[in-house]
Amino acid sequence: MSTVEQALKYFYENKKQLTESYFDLVRIPSVSTDPNHRGDMIKAAEFLSETLKGIGFERVEIHPTDMHPILFAEKISNNPNAKTLLIYGHYDVQPADPLDEWKSDPFQPEFRDDYLYARGASDMKGQVMASIIALESVLKTGDLPINIKYLLEGEEEIGSPSLDGFIISHTDLLSCDMILNPDAGMVGKDQPTLVYGLRGMTYFEVRVDGPKTDLHSGLWGGNVANPANVLSQIIAKLHNPDGTVAIPGFYDRIPPMSQEDKIRISMNQLSEESIMEMTGAPAVYGEAGFTPLERQGVRPTLDVNGLYSGFIGEGAKTIIPAYAKAKISCRLVPNQDPMEIFNLAKDYILSIAPDTVRIKVFLHSAGPAYLADDAPGAQNLVDAMQEVWQTPVTYKREGGSIPVATVMLRELGVKSLLTGFGLPDDGIHAPNERMHFPTWLKGIETLIRFYLSFGGE
Ligand code: BES
Ligand code: MN
């Protein structure tokens, strides 16, 4: 039996028990943004550290940060000429709310049909565990032909505030020949995907303050500006009627789409019907003159992520709210400078704000887009995917953001293999997040083949 066959046999024979560790990880509610879950963050980091020690990692370190720990682990191959693969992952998840929209407990994994439902099932505890389970299958049945390093953070979903500094001050520790980052996903069940571009992001908040407290709207309405009305007027001016962003200078640095990009993007299809089906929206809406996949991959956006003002409880209450606030993100494309975009947005908003209110615009996070072909190891990964799915790999420019890829390219000089085994309708960041289990199993099989592809056979 070849080493691949032995590792696959081990995996399929021990599938049930190996899968348990995935369930155990999603049971830990490691919500990075919520201070009440600080202890769970440590639990998740410790769980992963024990798991990696358990499969034979000699060096496993938990590095404290100002917020959530960073885990580093290393397993050196017996082969002195072995290349080094750095695997990136995050063990934090988004909050589970709105809780009442979940059909099962977000932190109790539940199978329904072919899907496993849980917060983090897809983004990205399932991906992290797939990489570990594949590794265990290899380590239990033969020699590891490459050195493996793990870098697992707990702050990805809040913009990775500690990670840049850690990478910058640990470039020797993290030195590597290849980087696997399975935090992206697949285009569809039957389309194994390699992502070669990601959008960047500028995230900011606008706060409008008016009266010193909420006021009776009958007594004072009509005599002072209503912060909720003012904020709505500002938001309405952030887009033009054709769907483009109205902030002056927003598009200035974006080069026209190349013919090559157009062709490459048009090789995949995302129909309006499937957008409506997957999102449940009653219609498709977007910037005129671009296809859905162009809008997702190569065009920037501006979106309100959250709006808060006044009385939002049951029934009716008559007030002029004291304040209103909006959380706004811009997805950015290559050449747009995230700080410049923040400054343009801030200047524009301040310029259109009336002086009947006090207004503040402040930054949450900023990271540039990523675009890079031919990461080292790409052919090995493509071959492994094609072996498993028996279909050509799809190349995609993704709309989501994985800022660490840019940081690693700059600091370590290595491009990332961006992939993953989640699907567009997994509901990441949403209620009833899920993982398509058969696809997850194929993902593990792919990674087993990928790791072993660096051996002699
Ligand atoms: N895994 C996602 C990003 C992603 C999703 C990439 C689907 C490709 C396909 C990641 O965890 C995420 O949500 N990132 C944030 C980054 C932000 C907090 C800086 C995002 O894109 O909103
Ligand atoms: Mn993720």
Side-chain angles (χ1 to χ4, degrees):
M1 228 194 308
S2 73
T3 46
V4 171
E5 282 162 358
Q6 284 172 42
L8 290 175
K9 183 165 174 276
Y10 176 88
F11 169 53
Y12 281 107
E13 281 176 355
N14 296 282
K15 197 175 90 185
K16 214 175 148 49
Q17 167 232 327
L18 290 169
T19 304
E20 275 305 319
S21 59
Y22 173 21
F23 296 176
D24 289 342
L25 182 59
V26 297
R27 281 193 192 103
I28 306 172
S30 46
V31 180
S32 48
T33 196
D34 185 346
N36 293 326
H37 285 293
R38 255 194 122 97
D40 294 313
M41 299 304 297
I42 293 167
K43 249 169 105 177
E46 279 172 352
F47 173 86
L48 286 163
S49 124
E50 291 310 310
T51 305
L52 289 172
K53 282 182 200 157
I55 68 169
F57 275 71
E58 297 95 11
R59 180 172 180 184
V60 184
E61 301 165 357
I62 293 184
H63 294 258
T65 73
D66 287 345
M67 234 187 285
H68 307 308
I70 292 175
L71 190 145
F72 173 82
E74 184 177 46
K75 170 93 186 132
I76 302 286
S77 158
N78 292 326
N79 171 4
N81 300 318
K83 291 191 170 170
T84 299
L85 172 69
L86 173 67
I87 303 176
Y88 164 86
H90 63 85
Y91 63 84
D92 62 326
V93 297
Q94 291 274 335
D97 57 279
L99 274 177
D100 53 4
E101 285 186 33
W102 283 79
K103 294 200 184 76
S104 54
D105 185 330
F107 298 106
Q108 287 304 332
E110 186 176 292
F111 266 109
R112 294 198 294 278
D113 302 322
D114 271 346
Y115 292 91
L116 180 81
Y117 287 82
R119 172 55 90 227
S122 176
D123 186 10
M124 69 170 295
K125 288 174 172 174
Q127 319 296 337
V128 170
M129 288 315 299
S131 77
I132 295 176
I133 292 168
L135 203 51
E136 167 165 359
S137 307
V138 170
L139 288 167
K140 284 278 157 65
T141 51
D143 278 343
L144 180 65
I146 41 176
N147 307 316
I148 304 265
K149 293 179 179 179
Y150 264 100
L151 178 66
L152 301 173
E153 67 158 320
E155 300 177 352
E156 197 276 343
E157 299 293 3
I158 51 173
S160 305
S162 307
L163 192 65
D164 292 19
F166 184 85
I167 294 173
I168 290 168
S169 56
H170 293 83
T171 50
D172 284 343
L173 186 71
L174 300 172
S175 72
C176 59
D177 303 293
M178 303 172 280
I179 297 170
L180 175 68
N181 186 331
D183 198 18
M186 297 172 60
V187 170
K189 276 190 188 65
D190 308 314
Q191 291 161 282
T193 306
L194 204 57
V195 168
Y196 65 98
L198 295 159
R199 287 194 290 190
M201 176 143 68
T202 293
Y203 199 120
F204 58 94
E205 186 161 335
V206 183
R207 185 177 165 115
V208 176
D209 280 282
K212 61 186 177 197
T213 76
D214 291 354
L215 302 173
H216 188 289
S217 59
L219 291 182
W220 302 105
N223 270 310
V224 294
N226 178 327
N229 297 9
V230 171
L231 182 58
S232 308
Q233 285 156 0
I234 290 172
I235 290 170
K237 287 184 184 149
L238 296 176
H239 287 93
N240 297 311
D242 64 357
T244 55
V245 176
I247 297 169
F250 189 80
Y251 295 96
D252 280 6
R253 293 191 193 280
I254 306 173
M257 208 181 4
S258 70
Q259 207 48 35
E260 205 189 322
D261 264 334
K262 253 195 176 338
I263 293 168
R264 226 172 162 179
I265 291 168
S266 69
M267 288 175 21
N268 294 322
Q269 301 305 328
L270 179 59
S271 69
E272 303 210 340
E273 295 70 49
S274 70
I275 294 179
M276 282 152 67
E277 195 199 308
M278 285 196 277
T279 64
V284 169
Y285 169 82
E287 190 181 352
F290 295 92
T291 68
L293 283 173
E294 289 168 356
R295 289 176 187 148
Q296 195 182 69
V298 307
R299 297 301 293 167
T301 59
L302 181 149
D303 278 294
V304 175
N305 297 254
L307 262 180
Y308 184 90
S309 186
F311 178 66
I312 55 167
E314 293 290 320
K317 182 186 181 201
T318 48
I319 55 162
I320 305 290
Y323 66 90
K325 50 190 187 176
K327 294 185 193 276
I328 297 178
S329 68
C330 298
R331 296 281 171 176
L332 308 178
V333 298
N335 256 14
Q336 283 183 301
D337 174 345
M339 276 315 290
E340 182 181 23
I341 293 295
F342 171 66
N343 287 318
L344 290 172
K346 182 175 172 179
D347 291 349
Y348 175 64
I349 289 168
L350 294 179
S351 79
I352 58 176
D355 48 20
T356 50
V357 294
R358 283 173 287 265
I359 183 152
K360 273 200 218 90
V361 182
F362 58 93
L363 185 70
H364 277 281
S365 71
Y370 176 89
L371 186 63
D373 263 326
D374 302 327
Q379 196 55 53
N380 301 60
L381 184 59
V382 167
D383 289 346
M385 284 175 165
Q386 294 185 162
E387 188 67 38
V388 173
W389 269 273
Q390 294 291 313
T391 175
V393 161
T394 297
Y395 295 87
K396 186 176 185 213
R397 272 178 81 166
E398 184 55 75
S401 306
I402 308 181
V404 67
T406 309
V407 179
M408 286 184 165
L409 180 54
R410 191 184 70 218
E411 299 300 326
L412 308 176
V414 184
K415 298 175 187 171
S416 292
L417 294 162
L418 295 158
T419 189
F421 309 106
L423 300 171
D425 57 355
D426 279 351
I428 65 174
H429 298 200
N432 304 303
E433 178 177 349
R434 64 187 188 176
M435 170 64 97
H436 186 243
F437 207 69
T439 303
W440 185 73
L441 298 176
K442 282 183 175 167
I444 293 174
E445 196 175 325
T446 301
L447 292 176
I448 289 175
R449 290 176 186 277
F450 172 63
Y451 299 147
L452 285 172
S453 71
F454 298 97
E457 286 177 81

